[in-house]
Amino acid sequence: MLHALRRPRPLSWGLAGLFAALYACVAVNRHRRMLTQAYDLGIFEQAVRAYAHGEAPVVLLKGPGYHLLGDHFHPVLATLGPLYRLFPSAVTLLLAQAVLMALAVVPLAHWAFEVGGPRLAVLVGGLTGVSWGIVEAVADDFHEIAFAVPLLAFAATALGRGRPVAAVLRALPLVLVKEDLGLTVAAVGALVAVRAGKGSGTRALGFGVAVFGLAATALTVLVVLPSFNPDGGFDYWGQMGAREAAGAPWEVAGRLVWPPLKWLLLGLAAATAGFLGLRSPLVLLCVPTLGWRLAADNPHYWGVGYHYSAVLMPLLLAALVDAVRRTGAFDGPGRVLARGWEAGPGRAAVRRARRALAAAALVALVTLPVYPLHELVAPGAWGTSPRLERTRAMLARIPDGSTVAASNRLAAQLAGRTAVGLVCREPSPPVESPPVGSPSVGVVRGGPDWVVVDLADPSVRAPCAIADTVRMLDRYERLGYRRVVDDGDLRLLGRP
């Protein structure tokens, strides 16, 4: 067993398997504790559920008849359809994400083994596995960028190892993951072109890929997404800093680094690459993602929470490995340069490499207790509270196949077995009472079969404000919906 782990392939795949298991434990346990949300696990489950039955990804949680390809361009989700058809559960999506994210460990650990042997491979593989961006994404519901993380890891390592064709082939599928990743594909093509010799076919390939990536993003944002969007446009233009693009150049540049929350993102990203990784050309692959995030109006994009930084992790760690390789501190796998202990230049190279690796390791140690991976050893994360049991009993009263209006976290528990929408939104057709005196008095036209909310859910503020949720609850009760469960903040209303 130990002998097998001294070879790159078993070592890298073994590390990936370990982290896949850890990610799965965290994600599934959070879903068990009802910490997942309609935005976004419920949305993606409704989409994959539709794909599994050969239907268009119409998602009720986004609105009646809302086609999800009008929100973001992620047709790659259809590949999960057959798996979901066999195992129809939100857990299927969470397990798939755990495996996909963990796959990023494989190319990075393998390349680190080639550069510095098994110890460097274990270190880099471990840094990838516990990296704050990936861990946060694994615990933050499900998102399409789970497919991008391993693709970026394989593409970046191929570039670093001088294999431009392999890098291009691994980067091209990114255009099917999300619309902005076409810009990252363009960055891969640009690096291939710049590093190739003049007049070579590789240079032409790089320029072609760069143009393709830019065209793919333009096509999806300007044509494809608006064609599916109910409003006929791209919903996120308003968040892309269009209003802030005006002004003097220094003002525009200043907005990219202000407010100071953006410094935390940039500083933590640089530290993840051991700072030395900033000298590697591979770090330029982060520019498209960082560019749109820093330019955007949405404060959620500026910080180090949610899932947005997951795509940066494989690129930053690939840059770290590349920078360590460039120092010349290793003379083949596991052999520190002998002159590193005798000659000044060699000793300086070894010190630079060690400082970079130590800085990256320190970031991992500091962030480990902050991000959700620590829940694996937190006793409180594995219990079942009486309130959680009461919530489960309440949801069990809703039959499969029902139409439901639910609050955010409860909707994520129901998306796989009911037609669930958000309680704060108007149903379609609109809820209306029959005329007074008609034979159908007491019967509500339109509206869901059930209304279920948890008013103590901290996520009830978004996407639904608590005031809107309470207003709709009152409205349903005035229309004759009866209280089936009234347990403090837990409410279940049944259709009259």
Side-chain angles (χ1 to χ4, degrees):
M1 179 67 177
L2 292 177
H3 177 71
L5 293 180
R6 297 186 67 84
R7 291 180 292 167
R9 188 161 298 180
L11 178 58
S12 58
W13 282 97
L15 286 170
L18 171 64
F19 282 110
L22 297 180
Y23 297 161
C25 287
V26 170
V28 174
N29 189 46
R30 289 178 70 86
H31 186 59
R32 179 192 70 84
R33 293 160 58 202
M34 297 189 183
L35 298 179
T36 51
Q37 306 177 58
Y39 274 55
D40 292 304
L41 179 60
I43 287 173
F44 283 112
E45 184 176 8
Q46 287 186 339
V48 173
R49 183 182 178 188
Y51 282 130
H53 292 86
E55 301 170 357
V58 174
V59 173
L60 182 58
L61 285 167
K62 289 286 287 185
Y66 193 103
H67 197 299
L68 200 59
L69 289 181
D71 184 47
H72 288 297
F73 187 69
H74 36 48
V76 70
L77 291 177
T79 62
L80 294 177
L83 186 62
Y84 188 89
R85 187 69 180 263
L86 293 174
F87 306 101
S89 167
V91 173
T92 299
L93 273 64
L94 298 174
L95 294 178
Q97 178 170 257
V99 171
L100 287 166
M101 294 283 197
L103 280 176
V105 172
V106 174
L108 289 163
H110 196 288
W111 187 26
F113 191 105
E114 293 177 355
V115 171
R119 285 186 293 181
L120 185 61
V122 170
L123 176 60
V124 171
L127 292 176
T128 305
V130 303
S131 59
W132 52 276
I134 289 179
V135 170
E136 177 71 2
V138 165
D140 184 28
D141 290 3
F142 173 91
H143 296 91
E144 69 283 276
I145 53 93
F147 288 90
V149 170
L151 288 171
L152 289 168
F154 279 102
T157 53
L159 268 178
R161 295 165 72 186
R163 300 173 58 193
V165 175
V168 165
L169 292 177
R170 293 163 181 177
L172 286 176
L174 290 170
V175 300
L176 302 178
V177 178
K178 201 173 180 183
E179 62 277 359
D180 66 286
L181 289 172
L183 302 178
T184 303
V185 172
V188 171
L191 275 183
V192 168
V194 169
R195 300 174 73 175
K198 290 184 179 181
S200 68
T202 302
R203 193 170 195 180
L205 172 67
F207 280 126
V209 170
V211 172
F212 171 79
L214 294 173
T217 291
L219 180 65
T220 53
V221 169
L222 299 176
V223 178
V224 178
L225 291 171
S227 70
F228 288 108
N229 189 281
D231 297 324
F234 179 49
D235 283 343
Y236 300 91
W237 277 130
Q239 299 182 19
M240 290 298 104
R243 292 185 299 273
E244 280 73 12
W250 56 87
E251 293 178 345
V252 175
R255 294 184 192 114
L256 294 177
V257 293
W258 192 266
L261 179 59
K262 297 177 182 180
W263 304 348
L264 175 61
L265 171 61
L266 295 173
L268 195 53
T272 301
F275 298 104
L276 186 66
L278 300 181
R279 299 184 179 185
S280 168
L282 297 180
V283 80
L284 296 174
L285 298 178
C286 298
V287 171
T289 296
L290 286 174
W292 71 257
R293 287 179 61 184
L294 296 176
D297 297 339
N298 189 339
H300 291 155
Y301 297 156
W302 306 340
V304 294
Y306 304 102
H307 60 285
Y308 303 113
S309 295
V311 295
L312 300 176
M313 298 299 103
L315 304 178
L316 294 169
L317 290 159
L320 172 62
V321 175
D322 187 44
V324 168
R325 177 186 64 84
R326 289 168 179 268
T327 64
F330 291 95
D331 184 19
R335 296 196 300 274
V336 178
L337 284 176
R339 67 175 183 273
W341 305 108
E342 300 170 1
R347 179 178 298 177
V350 172
R351 285 178 176 173
R352 284 197 301 273
R354 286 185 170 179
R355 281 197 298 265
L357 295 171
L362 180 61
V363 170
L365 290 174
V366 170
T367 57
L368 194 56
V370 177
Y371 288 91
L373 205 58
H374 75 274
E375 294 178 4
L376 291 168
V377 294
W382 296 95
T384 302
S385 68
R387 191 175 192 280
L388 182 58
E389 292 179 345
R390 295 198 305 271
T391 306
R392 288 177 180 168
M394 178 178 68
L395 295 179
R397 303 185 69 159
I398 301 175
D400 292 355
S402 302
T403 58
V404 186
S407 55
N408 192 23
R409 287 185 174 174
L410 298 184
Q413 302 292 319
L414 296 167
R417 64 182 186 88
T418 67
V420 61
L422 288 174
V423 67
C424 61
R425 293 195 175 135
E426 295 287 344
S428 181
V431 182
E432 58 181 19
S433 300
V436 176
S438 70
S440 57
V441 169
V443 179
V444 177
R445 298 194 185 100
D449 300 326
W450 302 89
V451 179
V452 60
V453 300
D454 179 359
L455 294 175
D457 174 5
S459 70
V460 81
R461 297 187 300 273
C464 294
I466 183 66
D468 293 332
T469 299
V470 172
R471 175 179 58 82
M472 289 300 294
L473 271 179
D474 291 341
R475 181 178 175 188
Y476 281 118
E477 289 198 88
R478 288 197 306 271
L479 290 169
Y481 279 72
R482 59 187 179 86
R483 293 192 183 187
V484 179
V485 174
D486 185 359
D487 185 1
D489 292 316
L490 300 174
R491 306 275 182 85
L492 174 63
L493 307 183
R495 184 184 178 89

